[in-house]
Amino acid sequence: RGGRRAPANQERMDSHSTELLIRDIAIIIVAATVSMRIFSMLKLPQLLGFIIVGILLSPVTGIVGSSENIAALGELGVMFMMFFVGMEFNLERLKKVFVPSFLGITFQIVSMGILGMASAGLMGLSKIDGIFLGGVLAMSSTIVIVEIFAQRRDLSKLYAQIAIGILIIEDIFAVFLLVVLSGLSSGKLPGASELFASTLAILSFMITIFVAGKLLVPRLLRKFALSGNRQELIMMIFCLIMGLGELAALSNLSLSLGAFMAGSIISGSDVSRRVEHI
């Protein structure tokens, strides 16, 4: 009896969890749609409305209470946004703005590091706490900045290209920062071998995926596009985004970096505009 009861209880729990997920999605979509209309009428950024709605739905009222559902939906949204960014800003363009982007991120990291150390001293915290604080301050929200550029239709402008270049380099730097901070939290600095391994992992992933993808993916997408089967092309896009995201995660990189690489691979191909429209 016990063996039969346990699967039944598990099925009820899974069913309840699914119902909660659907309920959360419904509430989020309705609230986000209302906020979009209100903030459009007020001529304010829609993203500000999304942030306010998120604060009201979760930490203030607790209407959406599942942290797992929130994290999953948020990660999925970031992946698709970074795919769009990759299509608008491929790695070939990064070469043109690499120098100003590198100088910008260097200034940002150094200045925020100094600010973090100074703030820690004023608050009576340790130097390690100051390093952690500086690391947090040095990181920007890619999704927020890109969304603002997209709404302003400025993604193709030079200042936006440089800013996105800074964000890409920043995402890569975040991997090194995590290695250093995880070492500090355990009481020891990471060795040169660990930093070298992290560097090699990032470069190997990006170069291999970009080169192999440029050789294979545009041709494959072209065949799906020429066949006229819209559903197959959509599923191929999903496979590319989710597949490269998972490959990035297996390489201890972010899912969003994999999605960005997916967009960058098809950027500039003859089917990229059709993919973007879909």
Side-chain angles (χ1 to χ4, degrees):
R1 292 178 191 171
R4 288 195 296 270
R5 190 181 298 117
N9 291 336
Q10 184 63 43
E11 287 178 6
R12 283 195 293 270
M13 290 176 61
D14 292 342
S15 176
H16 182 63
S17 177
T18 302
E19 290 174 4
L20 287 178
L21 175 60
I22 295 174
R23 168 185 170 274
D24 287 349
I25 292 175
I27 292 172
I28 290 169
I29 290 176
V30 171
T33 303
V34 172
S35 75
M36 286 178 67
R37 183 58 185 162
I38 292 173
F39 277 75
S40 294
M41 292 172 61
L42 296 175
K43 296 182 178 180
L44 294 172
Q46 294 178 353
L47 187 64
L48 180 61
F50 294 154
I51 293 173
I52 292 175
V53 164
I55 293 172
L56 292 176
L57 288 181
S58 187
V60 174
T61 63
I63 295 175
V64 178
S66 173
S67 58
E68 293 82 4
N69 290 347
I70 294 171
L73 291 171
E75 191 70 56
L76 193 62
V78 171
M79 286 182 70
F80 279 97
M81 176 58 72
M82 291 305 293
F83 173 72
F84 173 73
V85 172
M87 291 188 63
E88 292 292 325
F89 185 89
N90 56 50
L91 292 181
E92 294 174 0
R93 292 184 185 177
L94 182 59
K95 299 176 184 177
K96 300 178 181 179
V97 296
F98 178 79
V99 174
S101 298
F102 184 78
L103 292 175
I105 190 62
T106 301
F107 174 77
Q108 178 177 321
I109 292 170
V110 172
S111 59
M112 291 301 101
I114 294 173
L115 180 61
M117 294 292 289
S119 300
L122 292 174
M123 292 186 289
L125 302 176
S126 66
K127 292 182 178 179
I128 293 180
D129 292 330
I131 295 174
F132 271 85
L133 180 58
V136 171
L137 294 174
M139 295 295 103
S140 305
S141 176
T142 303
I143 189 69
V144 170
I145 297 172
V146 169
E147 180 66 19
I148 292 174
F149 288 160
Q151 288 183 7
R152 292 167 59 95
R153 298 181 179 178
D154 284 354
L155 280 174
S156 60
K157 293 185 177 179
L158 180 60
Y159 87 92
Q161 297 287 315
I162 295 174
I164 295 174
I166 290 174
L167 293 170
I168 295 170
I169 298 174
E170 185 181 275
D171 288 341
I172 295 172
F173 171 76
V175 178
F176 299 101
L177 188 62
L178 288 172
V179 173
V180 173
L181 293 181
S182 62
L184 287 175
S185 64
S186 62
K188 62 177 183 178
L189 281 170
S193 60
E194 294 178 74
L195 294 176
F196 177 77
S198 299
T199 305
L200 190 62
I202 296 172
L203 293 178
S204 298
F205 175 81
M206 296 187 72
I207 293 173
T208 303
I209 294 300
F210 186 73
V211 173
K214 278 292 187 182
L215 292 173
L216 300 175
V217 173
R219 297 179 183 178
L220 189 59
L221 286 177
R222 194 179 301 116
K223 289 182 179 180
F224 282 107
L226 292 175
S227 68
N229 192 322
R230 184 186 178 96
Q231 286 73 24
E232 287 185 353
L233 183 59
I234 291 173
M235 291 306 296
M236 183 62 191
I237 296 168
F238 276 120
C239 287
L240 189 64
I241 297 172
M242 308 305 290
L244 291 186
E246 185 61 22
L247 277 177
L250 291 173
S251 302
N252 294 321
L253 303 173
S254 67
L255 289 166
S256 59
L257 180 59
F260 171 81
M261 293 298 299
S264 181
I265 285 170
I266 67 174
S267 176
S269 67
D270 51 359
V271 295
S272 61
R273 290 303 160 198
R274 183 172 180 182
V275 171
E276 184 176 345
H277 175 72
I278 291 173

